[in-house]
Amino acid sequence: MMNVVGFGAIRILRNRASELKLIFLTLVVIYVTIPFAFKMCPIIVTKVVYLNFLRRPFIDFKQPAHYLLNHTLNLYLTPEEGITVGVWFTIPDKRWHEASGKDQQWYEAALGDDNPVIVYLHGNGGSRAVGHRVELIKMLSAHGFHVLALDYRGWADSTGEPSEAGITTDSLYLFEWTRARSGKSPVCLWGHSLGSGVATNTARILHEKGSPADAIILEAPFTSMREEVAHHPFAVYYKLFPGFEWFFMDSITENNIFFHNVENLQSISTPVLILHAEDDNIIPFELGRKLYESLLDSWISGRQVKFVSFPAFLGYKHNNIYKDPQLPDIIKLFDDITDAGSWRSPIADAGMKLTLGKMKYMPQKLLDPCG
């Protein structure tokens, strides 16, 4: 009887060992296959960079009120033939009573009401209906901003397939469409994560056309897509893989994905505000700081460039800077020191101190009321 039990136990252990060996070999094959697939299949590169296929099902973009954006119009624009992009246009919260039941013509006219305008360019994956994006729109609206949130081609209910040139075209078209209707209202680009690259591409084109944006706000930006790939959390698993740069970084540039934030910003004079959380787990804080420092050495003298870091203890990571109660004040202070356009926001100045071009985060209870 004991022998039977012993043999049975040995057989079970051998089976477990075989299963573990099979699992290990499978993981090794997958690990080795991924770099080759990334190198040989351009469609994989674009899908990994843009993640536009990641979206929550059953979203009715025509009903932004479902996300408590009651003073928001869903509209569609055509940046080029055969491409339609979805946009949520949210007016300042103080005008929500007026907006009830109004059509697109009324919303377009409202852009010229002297309230500042933000063209919001989100990061990869998801859509304009993702939680942190909606919350940022609400915050900006509550503090007197018009916000136009774009889903690039290939995202959400927008048609087409993404490329760097294509989504930059979408952003440029929305900005110029907005400015044509905004009268004297200043218009700013706000780019988050991947959107920071779209924003700087757009800003450079606008500068070259002689009609620069009034300001640029970059939330969790990188220096270039190539450098971001090298610092992405996923890269940790392949940094020691032979040919890492050739398999991954070169594949990005070979597929015309550059997003040269440093180069773009060094060639324009538009005021820039950079926001970055020290505990960002997607785009390292060091890349945001490196971007800022590269602009200090820019040939453009007198151009306003400000950097705000959010301490790790706040827990904002990559997507949650919108939660900071001082964010409206940061934006208002940036406007005051740039004179980049009279952003007539009702926000009171408070909560920040400015030191050598960097806005140092100061919890309200620690501020010296005498400055």
Side-chain angles (χ1 to χ4, degrees), residues 186-349:
V187 185
C188 167
L189 290 163
W190 183 309
H192 173 234
S193 192
L194 174 72
S196 70
V198 183
T200 68
N201 281 352
T202 303
R204 183 172 184 172
I205 295 172
L206 290 168
H207 179 83
E208 292 170 349
K209 295 174 75 171
S211 55
D214 290 295
I216 307 168
I217 299 176
L218 302 178
E219 179 187 357
F222 47 83
T223 49
S224 69
M225 182 55 70
R226 185 181 179 89
E227 191 163 14
E228 157 56 10
V229 169
H231 288 82
H232 194 276
F234 178 78
V236 172
Y237 302 102
Y238 283 96
K239 273 294 183 69
L240 299 179
F241 191 88
F244 169 79
E245 186 171 340
W246 184 78
F247 277 112
F248 294 100
M249 297 170 66
D250 290 352
S251 295
I252 294 291
T253 53
E254 288 166 5
N255 284 277
N256 298 313
I257 303 174
F258 303 101
F259 294 110
H260 288 306
N261 283 347
V262 171
E263 181 181 314
N264 287 339
L265 293 179
Q266 286 183 341
S267 66
I268 65 177
S269 57
T270 308
V272 180
L273 170 62
I274 298 173
L275 311 170
H276 216 132
E278 293 179 357
D279 62 336
D280 192 318
N281 57 336
I282 301 298
I283 298 178
F285 173 78
E286 289 71 22
L287 290 188
R289 182 167 56 189
K290 184 176 179 180
L291 176 61
Y292 165 71
E293 291 172 350
S294 74
L295 301 182
L296 298 182
D297 298 327
S298 171
W299 63 270
I300 300 173
S301 60
R303 191 259 297 274
Q304 295 289 347
V305 181
K306 305 301 170 187
F307 182 87
V308 182
S309 61
F310 297 84
F313 71 80
L314 295 170
Y316 294 154
K317 297 190 181 296
H318 188 61
N319 292 327
N320 297 314
I321 287 178
Y322 76 87
K323 293 181 177 180
D324 195 274
Q326 297 187 53
L327 184 57
D329 300 326
I330 295 169
I331 299 169
K332 178 61 169 61
L333 180 56
F334 174 60
D335 169 54
D336 288 346
I337 60 181
T338 59
D339 292 324
S342 180
W343 287 22
R344 288 167 286 276
S345 173
I347 308 167
D349 292 335

Side-chain angles (χ1 to χ4, degrees), residues 13-144:
L13 289 175
R14 285 177 176 173
N15 289 339
R16 291 283 174 83
S18 297
E19 290 173 0
L20 291 174
K21 183 178 179 180
L22 179 60
I23 292 172
F24 175 77
L25 290 175
T26 301
L27 291 175
V28 169
V29 170
I30 293 173
Y31 179 79
V32 173
T33 300
I34 286 176
F36 286 95
F38 199 81
K39 187 70 177 180
M40 298 173 64
C41 302
I43 191 170
I44 292 179
V45 176
T46 57
K47 292 298 183 184
V48 169
V49 170
Y50 298 122
L51 297 179
N52 57 304
F53 61 93
L54 294 180
R55 62 187 73 176
R56 199 172 71 189
F58 312 119
I59 295 177
D60 186 355
F61 292 100
K62 295 181 180 179
Q63 298 295 330
H66 292 173
Y67 302 89
L68 302 181
L69 294 172
N70 299 315
H71 43 295
T72 298
L73 175 73
N74 181 71
L75 59 93
Y76 296 97
L77 301 176
T78 306
E80 58 186 28
E81 186 176 357
I83 299 295
T84 300
V85 294
V87 178
W88 277 354
F89 175 6
T90 304
I91 64 167
D93 188 66
K94 60 189 177 185
R95 299 196 63 185
W96 77 271
H97 284 293
E98 300 175 65
S100 180
K102 296 299 193 299
D103 59 12
Q104 182 171 331
Q105 184 176 0
W106 183 91
Y107 272 81
E108 290 184 25
L111 277 172
D113 65 3
D114 289 343
N115 287 301
V117 185
I118 287 179
V119 173
Y120 177 65
L121 307 168
H122 64 62
N124 63 1
S127 69
R128 59 193 184 276
V130 168
H132 66 272
R133 296 166 187 167
V134 171
E135 293 305 316
L136 177 64
I137 293 171
K138 290 178 182 177
M139 184 279 291
L140 292 171
S141 173
H143 289 89

